[in-house]
Amino acid sequence: MADEFMKGAAIATGGGLIWMVLSGWYTTPGFEDAQLWGAIPEGLDAYGQAAIMLRSVMAWFIIFGILAFWVVIPAFQQLRAAR
């Protein structure tokens, strides 16, 4: 079970780092403003739009990755061991 925990922790750490960097670059208008959760700026070029899409993908990757490795896989292993 320790390896599933570490895989989930690695997903949370790596995905969270990418999400925080992209959020800091694109959705933090100023230091006193809403940091990391600000509005997405208008008129982004192709790289900016790809970065915003990657930011959204990373958020869902973190959620589903943690659920998979911390909840679903251990639950299936417990069910299989109980049989």
Side-chain angles (χ1 to χ4, degrees):
M1 294 265 198
D3 55 336
E4 280 86 11
F5 177 78
M6 287 310 298
K7 289 174 188 174
I11 287 173
T13 304
L17 177 65
I18 294 170
W19 183 88
M20 283 180 25
V21 167
L22 293 174
S23 294
W25 284 345
Y26 289 101
T27 60
T28 301
F31 186 73
E32 287 84 17
D33 296 332
Q35 295 182 1
L36 303 179
W37 296 104
I40 297 172
E42 296 291 326
L44 293 174
D45 58 351
Y47 290 118
Q49 292 175 358
I52 294 298
M53 185 178 71
L54 179 63
R55 178 181 172 255
S56 298
V57 167
M58 282 295 120
W60 288 109
F61 175 67
I62 293 167
I63 293 168
F64 288 133
I66 288 176
L67 282 176
F69 284 107
W70 287 357
V71 177
V72 175
I73 293 173
F76 279 134
Q77 288 177 349
Q78 290 291 325
L79 287 173
R80 188 173 40 185
R83 285 188 155 193

